[in-house]
Amino acid sequence: KSSVQTIGEEQIQNPYTELLVLKGHQDIVRFLVQIDNYRFASAGDDGIIFLWNAQTGEKLFELHGHTQKITAIAPFSSSDASEENKHLILTASADRTVIVWDCTSGRQVQKVSCFHSTVKCLTVLQRLDVWLSGGSDLCVWNRKLDLLCKTSHLTDAGISALVELPKNCVAAAVGKELIIFRLFASDDGSEGWNVLEEKRLVDHQDNILSLVSVNDLTFVTGSHVGELIVWDALDWTKQASECNFWDSSAHPDVQPEIKLSQSPNETSVQHLTSDEECVFAAVGKGIYVYNLQMKRVIACQRTAHDSSVLHIEKLPNRQLISCSEDGSVRIWELREKQQLPAEPVPTGFFNMWGFGRANKQANQAAKKMQENAPMYFLELVGDLIGHSSAVQMFLYFGELGLATCSADHLIILWKDGERESRLRSLTLFQKLAQNGDLQLKF
């Protein structure tokens, strides 16, 4: 068994040595959404939305309008050239309403309350200037909150996630199915839209938990039982997958044993993120780096945290951040191995979790394929301990730092200690100069 990596108190590569604790929420904070370069909104089970300044930690607005927990949130910036760039946010709640808020004034712009079920996801199609709500059906709305069109009732479980695809299409996760919908303009010459179901993809064996768009050609889905599927975004065909250990036709007798021996979230793909080159997956307690060109996992940390990893992001450098149900936030660096590895990185999730042994031929093929390919590993370079309960997600604000939200009702702003110290010194010098106490020479 591989144990969770630890890091000493001297975290030389971890810049986040200062923290600001933001209080206000009275229940689990589940969502953070970036509004612009320095503002963000938080929401969760208390039904209240807060707007914050990421630099100072100042609470800008407290938005009341929902009576139950928030289930989805999305930024919706105005694209109208005649008006200033207006920052709006959409929030959906278990009270079966969606509200549009103005982030500049903190006012409620409009409210829709005609839903038959809870809206679980919101997606803005900026190019078409419409937004979609997903619940027991898929609805298309314009900026004025006019319902343009909707699908017929899908299932009681409803749409759990949406991702935008090229050619006015979206992929909706409905249980273990992936439904492709296309939006097209109405024939009557009005500004209306129609929505049409194009295809149902039934390749997943269990509920789809995560969806991510890689680029205009590719998107990726992950399921409750650890299946990761890479799809062509134009013709919706399967390009690659990592799910061979759930191949029930190959191992009809083994599957029930695997299910019994694994706790429910052991192999669950909780979150996916991507750059052009790789997909980064939060799977159970581990994090995995899947190279899209090589169609294999190039680095993994099987037990990155003590509990399930809930959110993962790639930073502009070669670093990753992950957060977990165990209350920790960790920074990883993707590094190339200098020496030849003693054993190859597993080519499938089958080997990763040690479900049996792959045959010799597969091992030899894997070794051959990896002889010329660079090998990578994930090194722990930072461990941010501040939350006392599950960290739900985070936002990266570049030099302004990192914002995390948690089941402990708190939001923490993690700051670069050296930068903050420099800023304080600069402010002090400027004040002294203004008071004439210091002669500044440039």
Side-chain angles (χ1 to χ4, degrees), residues 183-201:
L183 273 71
F184 57 96
S186 298
D187 298 331
D188 56 12
S190 68
E191 289 183 21
W193 289 89
N194 288 316
V195 62
L196 183 74
E197 184 183 311
E198 288 275 1
K199 197 172 182 182
R200 289 195 178 217
L201 307 171

Side-chain angles (χ1 to χ4, degrees), residues 7-33:
I7 189 168
E9 285 182 28
E10 285 290 315
Q11 299 185 34
I12 303 159
Q13 292 169 279
N14 178 10
Y16 303 114
T17 53
E18 278 190 29
L19 55 88
L20 281 172
V21 179
L22 312 185
K23 296 179 180 178
H25 282 287
Q26 293 148 29
D27 211 328
I28 298 173
V29 190
R30 295 190 188 274
F31 303 103
L32 298 174
V33 67

Side-chain angles (χ1 to χ4, degrees), residues 95-359:
D95 62 13
R96 299 187 181 184
T97 65
V98 169
I99 298 177
V100 184
W101 308 90
D102 185 327
C103 297
T104 309
S105 65
R107 289 201 181 102
Q108 186 175 305
V109 179
Q110 225 163 335
K111 187 174 189 173
V112 188
S113 47
C114 59
F115 297 99
H116 301 300
S117 66
T118 300
V119 171
K120 294 178 182 175
C121 49
L122 296 164
T123 298
V124 175
L125 307 184
Q126 203 75 45
R127 195 171 46 82
L128 303 178
D129 207 29
V130 298
W131 58 278
L132 313 178
S133 62
S136 57
D137 40 32
L138 179 72
C139 302
V140 183
W141 308 82
N142 66 11
R143 189 171 290 281
K144 296 170 188 168
L145 270 69
D146 300 321
L147 178 60
L148 305 178
C149 56
K150 64 184 283 192
T151 62
S152 55
H153 185 85
L154 294 164
T155 62
D156 289 332
I159 298 168
S160 58
L162 284 165
V163 69
E164 183 178 1
L165 301 179
K167 299 183 179 178
N168 297 356
C169 290
V170 290
V174 182
K176 48 177 92 162
E177 285 188 318
L178 200 59
I179 307 178
I180 309 294
F181 294 102
R182 188 188 299 276
L183 273 71
F184 57 96
S186 298
D187 298 331
D188 56 12
S190 68
E191 289 183 21
W193 289 89
N194 288 316
V195 62
L196 183 74
E197 184 183 311
E198 288 275 1
K199 197 172 182 182
R200 289 195 178 217
L201 307 171
V202 290
D203 299 67
H204 277 290
Q205 302 298 307
D206 206 340
N207 288 346
I208 298 164
L209 298 184
S210 42
L211 278 171
V212 68
S213 174
V214 176
N215 50 38
D216 286 344
L217 301 174
T218 310
F219 72 102
V220 181
T221 54
S223 82
H224 185 66
V225 291
E227 307 157 301
L228 183 141
I229 300 181
V230 182
W231 303 91
D232 186 303
L234 298 172
D235 64 10
W236 320 307
T237 53
K238 191 158 84 167
Q239 290 183 338
S241 65
E242 281 286 350
C243 51
N244 54 358
F245 68 87
W246 280 119
D247 187 356
S248 54
S249 59
H251 312 281
D253 301 321
V254 180
Q255 189 174 342
E257 290 177 23
I258 294 171
K259 277 191 171 178
L260 287 170
S261 65
Q262 298 298 311
S263 64
N265 295 325
E266 194 85 358
T267 59
S268 206
V269 183
Q270 297 287 353
H271 188 236
L272 294 169
T273 189
S274 169
D275 58 13
E276 289 289 310
E277 202 180 331
C278 294
V279 172
F280 306 91
V283 186
K285 297 176 184 179
I287 52 180
Y288 296 80
V289 182
Y290 179 88
N291 186 285
L292 290 159
Q293 196 177 358
M294 291 190 251
K295 295 184 178 176
R296 65 182 182 86
V297 171
I298 58 164
C300 65
Q301 189 60 247
R302 289 177 182 80
T303 45
H305 292 262
D306 285 316
S307 300
S308 291
V309 182
L310 300 181
H311 195 83
I312 183 170
E313 287 295 341
K314 166 87 162 44
L315 300 192
N317 49 34
R318 295 184 69 82
Q319 289 186 336
L320 289 172
I321 298 183
S322 59
C323 65
S324 164
E325 279 182 348
D326 65 15
S328 64
V329 181
R330 310 192 111 191
I331 308 167
W332 308 86
E333 191 158 304
L334 187 62
R335 294 195 174 155
E336 200 170 319
K337 283 185 181 173
Q338 299 304 312
Q339 74 282 3
L340 283 169
E343 57 179 343
V345 169
T347 54
F349 283 153
F350 186 102
N351 292 348
M352 273 183 222
W353 288 297
F355 300 141
R357 293 188 178 276
N359 60 46

Side-chain angles (χ1 to χ4, degrees), residues 324-329 384-391 406:
S324 164
E325 279 182 348
D326 65 15
S328 64
V329 181
L384 310 182
I385 306 296
H387 287 291
S388 61
S389 196
V391 181
S406 167

Side-chain angles (χ1 to χ4, degrees), residues 426 429-430 433-434 438-442:
L426 190 62
F429 275 121
Q430 284 168 344
Q434 281 167 7
L438 182 74
Q439 207 63 42
L440 283 177
K441 291 179 182 178
F442 294 100

